[in-house]
């Protein structure tokens, strides 16, 4: 008897992203954030020297989308654009309010993550996290994804 085909991993990842992002957005809405905006703030906290191009690549968004996200976060007072190393580059700097916001938003996201992952035991959760970080490090050619693994 033939085995049913296994769902392709890209489909599984995309569907898991859709479900997780929807729930994360609900948790972040009271903070005036989306999962994309939160990710941008966290990535800048982890790697404050990223250029706009590098940040767009890290987040998997177009430069235009990144500029829109940055503009919204800048208007909300969570970051500012300062001159970069060259005359053509800009450096993004998190405000104190952004650092507080990240700290406050992590708690509801941690609860949502535990609920989302449901019946997985802690070792399975860490295995999933490690595998996703390895995948992202390979896919983006950026070893910083492996920090903390």
């Amino acid at each position: 008897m033939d085995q049913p085909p296994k769902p392709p991993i890209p489909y599984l990842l995309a569907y898991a992203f859709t479900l997780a992002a929807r729930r994360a957005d609900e948790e972040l809405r009271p903070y005036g954030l989306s999962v994309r905006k939160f990710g941008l703030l966290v990535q800048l906290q982890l790697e404050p020297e990223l250029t706009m191009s590098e940040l767009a690549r890290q987040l998997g968004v177009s430069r235009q989308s990144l500029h829109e996200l940055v503009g919204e976060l800048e208007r909300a007072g969570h970051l500012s654009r300062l001159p970069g190393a060259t005359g053509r580059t800009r450096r993004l700097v998190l405000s104190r309010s952004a650092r507080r916001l990240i700290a406050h938003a992590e708690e509801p996201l941690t609860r949502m993550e535990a609920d989302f992952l449901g019946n997985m035991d802690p070792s399975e959760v860490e295995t999933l996290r490690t595998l996703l970080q390895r995948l992202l490090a390979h896919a983006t050619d950026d070893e910083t994804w492996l920090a903390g693994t």
Side-chain angles (χ1 to χ4, degrees):
M1 187 151 113
D2 289 339
Q3 295 287 338
K6 291 182 180 181
I9 289 174
Y11 167 75
L12 295 172
L13 289 170
Y15 190 49
F17 167 77
T18 298
L19 297 175
R22 186 178 302 145
R23 294 190 54 194
D25 283 342
E26 289 172 15
E27 292 296 327
L28 292 168
R29 191 170 295 117
Y31 300 92
L33 293 174
S34 65
V35 72
R36 291 270 188 208
K37 290 178 187 175
F38 182 79
L40 189 156
L41 294 175
V42 169
Q43 201 64 42
L44 279 176
Q45 188 174 40
L46 294 171
E47 297 183 88
E49 299 303 317
L50 286 176
T51 66
M52 293 286 276
S53 294
E54 291 166 336
L55 189 55
R57 187 174 49 80
Q58 281 282 8
L59 298 174
V61 298
S62 69
R63 286 186 52 136
Q64 180 180 350
S65 294
L66 179 66
H67 282 282
E68 290 172 15
L69 290 171
V70 166
E72 291 172 23
L73 290 167
E74 191 175 28
R75 284 188 293 281
H78 299 311
L79 56 82
S80 56
R81 298 179 214 213
L82 300 177
T86 70
R88 295 188 56 193
T89 61
R90 305 293 278 166
R91 187 169 56 98
L92 299 175
V93 179
L94 294 178
S95 67
R96 282 193 195 120
S97 69
R99 294 181 190 285
R100 284 192 303 271
L101 186 62
I102 291 167
H104 289 5
E106 283 177 340
E107 183 182 329
L109 281 181
T110 299
R111 283 193 315 266
M112 189 261 356
E113 178 182 292
D115 183 56
F116 182 72
L117 297 174
N119 60 0
M120 291 180 130
D121 66 52
S123 67
E124 290 174 316
V125 171
E126 285 314 305
T127 298
L128 176 61
R129 187 180 322 278
T130 299
L131 291 172
L132 289 170
Q133 286 177 282
R134 285 177 47 200
L135 172 70
L136 290 168
H138 173 73
T140 63
D141 196 28
D142 187 344
E143 297 289 315
T144 57
W145 285 106
L146 301 176
T149 58

